[in-house]
Amino acid sequence: METPVATPPTNLLGLPRPELEAFVGALGNKPFRARQLMGWLYKRGEGRFDAMTDLARDFRAQLAECAEVRTPQIMRETTSADGTRKWLLSAGVAQAFEMVFIPEADRGTLCISSQVGCALDCAFCSTAQQGFNRNLTTAEIVGQVWLANRELGVDEQGHRRVTNVVLMGMGEPLANFRNVVPAIRILLDDLGFDISRRRVTLSTSGLVPQIYRLAAEVNCALAVSLHAPDDALRDELVPINRRHPIAELLEACWHYIDEQNGRSITFEYVMLDGVNDQPAHARELVKLLRGRPAKLNLIPFNPFPGTRFRRSPMAVIARFRDELIQGGVMATIRRTRGDDIDAACGQLAGQVNDRVRVRLGDKLAAAMAS
Ligand code: SAH
């Protein structure tokens, strides 16, 4: 007789509503059971089946046997002097990624990761330095939001602290399209986290074909890492530009807005001293973006060990912004948060694998280094 192969339990955090209904259906239950289950999972943040008291006992027993609610495990948590919190999360043996919560007076923004490492190799980003390890699964992406809600609890009015989610952590979300899109569906679903589409933002370095696909598949806000007004400079800073140059990228952006009935695209622009921060750059940006549904978000460069770049002086950044505004382009300066704990943009997890290596001992370290 053959030994039956044990199927691993299905992590329910990876299933958008139709898939959860199919899963529940395959167990012989009515689709409305999936809705009840989502209420427990996402409205009440409950992950223990035996606590889901209005589910039939048999159904709970079935779930306990073949399903689970599993978030990434916390390896370390750090809190910044400004209240920003960062979690180092495990992605299995010797792999880790990060998630950051940024509290503000009127909202709480959770910055989540979509990949362990990144393959895009942007010149000024510390995640790029560690290379690409793997895609996060849908359950690992959704699991970050679920975990943050559990860790952060509710405010004085009983509201969840995470009001906004940005896919601006480690990784290029559009390079993990297959897992990211279902995760966004769960964030937006009114039976899921029920976050409004203007409060879920995907940030991309500019994978043009996937921007078109995204426009057709989900409805969320889009941020695009522009960082340079011309192809010669952008080729250097954001190498994907060599494949999808600025004109093509902007066309995809305007298509996205048309398709989505969106308000505008946020263009991120990291301010690198003497590289892309001159008044002439601002004037070129005005030519590209004036009259378009675009906002520029100027990000003071956040340094990390070994980088050849420096942050533009604040006065230069302010002048750059003024130049843009005078030219008729909306522009703001992103306030740096959490840099004392390496939680600011572009600083995530550069040192993680080294720390993991130390913990795992020499043998594994040697294996990983080879
Ligand atoms: N891969 C996606 C999302 C992750 S990065 C993207 O490229 O958009 C989120 C933002 O931080 C991007 O705009 C990125 O260019 C920016 N960033 C990367 N490194 C940075 C650094 N060292 N200082 C400031 N911003 C940085």
Side-chain angles (χ1 to χ4, degrees):
M1 216 176 82
E2 274 184 48
T3 337
V5 183
T7 18
T10 301
N11 192 346
L12 300 186
L13 297 179
L15 304 182
R17 200 196 302 192
E19 281 80 357
L20 189 66
E21 284 173 351
F23 179 78
V24 162
L27 295 176
N29 295 278
K30 295 257 160 48
F32 81 90
R33 292 282 175 216
R35 292 165 166 263
Q36 273 184 308
L37 201 45
M38 287 186 85
W40 282 105
L41 291 175
Y42 299 111
K43 299 287 179 265
R44 305 197 215 191
E46 181 56 70
R48 295 161 306 173
F49 299 128
D50 57 5
M52 302 180 179
T53 45
D54 64 354
L55 298 185
R57 201 176 286 273
D58 292 353
F59 182 40
R60 276 188 270 159
Q62 278 180 316
L63 289 172
E65 205 156 287
C66 62
E68 63 178 358
V69 179
R70 188 157 50 86
T71 69
Q73 282 201 336
I74 299 174
M75 296 168 72
R76 192 180 51 235
E77 190 193 328
T78 331
T79 303
S80 158
D82 68 17
T84 300
R85 285 168 75 171
K86 180 171 88 163
W87 290 269
L88 177 67
L89 303 173
S90 165
V93 178
Q95 292 192 349
F97 58 100
E98 292 187 317
M99 158 175 98
V100 177
F101 178 69
I102 306 143
E104 286 174 276
D106 58 341
R107 67 183 140 180
T109 303
L110 187 70
C111 177
I112 61 174
S113 293
S114 56
Q115 299 182 314
V116 183
C118 188
L120 274 285
D121 208 25
C122 297
F124 48 84
C125 179
S126 87
T127 305
Q129 301 213 320
Q130 73 181 75
F132 174 69
N133 293 296
R134 71 166 172 88
N135 284 327
L136 293 179
T137 63
T138 300
E140 284 170 325
I141 299 167
V142 171
Q144 293 173 67
V145 185
W146 203 90
L147 183 63
N149 278 322
R150 193 189 73 192
E151 291 297 302
L152 294 165
V154 292
D155 65 14
E156 297 73 30
Q157 285 87 47
H159 297 132
R160 289 197 291 229
R161 290 181 201 273
V162 176
T163 61
N164 296 50
V165 175
V166 295
L167 283 116
M168 293 187 188
M170 294 171 69
E172 167 50 54
L174 292 185
N176 184 13
F177 195 92
R178 192 165 52 92
N179 296 330
V180 163
V181 164
I184 293 177
R185 293 215 170 97
I186 295 172
L187 296 182
L188 300 177
D189 190 338
D190 50 5
L191 294 184
F193 289 106
D194 194 18
I195 306 175
S196 106
R197 66 189 177 95
R198 298 195 200 289
R199 291 171 177 265
V200 175
T201 304
L202 182 149
S203 178
T204 179
S205 56
L207 272 63
V208 167
Q210 286 88 336
I211 293 176
Y212 285 98
R213 280 179 64 198
L214 191 72
E217 293 203 23
V218 286
N219 206 326
C220 68
L222 186 65
V224 172
S225 295
L226 190 57
H227 304 317
D230 63 83
D231 285 324
L233 183 55
R234 195 164 188 271
D235 281 352
E236 293 306 312
L237 298 177
V238 186
I240 190 74
N241 194 69
R242 296 172 202 163
R243 212 183 310 162
H244 304 295
I246 294 174
E248 225 182 86
L249 174 60
L250 293 182
E251 209 162 298
C253 290
W254 313 142
H255 169 83
Y256 190 85
I257 290 297
D258 281 350
E259 197 74 1
Q260 300 259 318
N261 241 331
R263 285 186 186 156
S264 60
I265 305 271
T266 300
F267 290 96
E268 294 150 296
Y269 195 96
V270 62
M271 296 298 289
L272 305 168
D273 187 21
V275 174
N276 64 353
D277 62 351
Q278 299 303 300
H281 295 118
R283 288 193 292 272
E284 280 186 81
L285 284 172
V286 166
K287 281 192 211 143
L288 288 179
L289 302 178
R290 184 171 41 201
R292 299 294 194 168
K295 270 193 299 206
L296 263 159
N297 195 209
L298 306 177
I299 314 175
F301 171 65
N302 296 307
F304 51 90
T307 179
R308 63 189 155 103
F309 296 106
R310 287 182 317 262
R311 177 185 292 184
S312 309
M314 234 26 215
V316 171
I317 301 180
R319 197 178 62 198
F320 200 86
R321 177 201 52 200
D322 294 344
E323 188 95 35
L324 290 165
I325 292 174
Q326 275 158 23
V329 174
M330 283 256 284
T332 50
I333 300 172
R334 185 178 291 177
R335 197 150 69 90
T336 298
R337 298 287 304 265
D339 54 345
D340 56 336
I341 56 166
D342 288 345
C345 303
Q347 293 187 318
L348 296 188
Q351 300 147 46
V352 167
N353 280 349
D354 287 334
R355 287 189 199 124
V356 175
R357 262 180 215 143
V358 170
R359 206 171 302 164
L360 289 171
D362 295 344
K363 208 169 143 194
L364 242 175
M368 283 176 63
S370 64

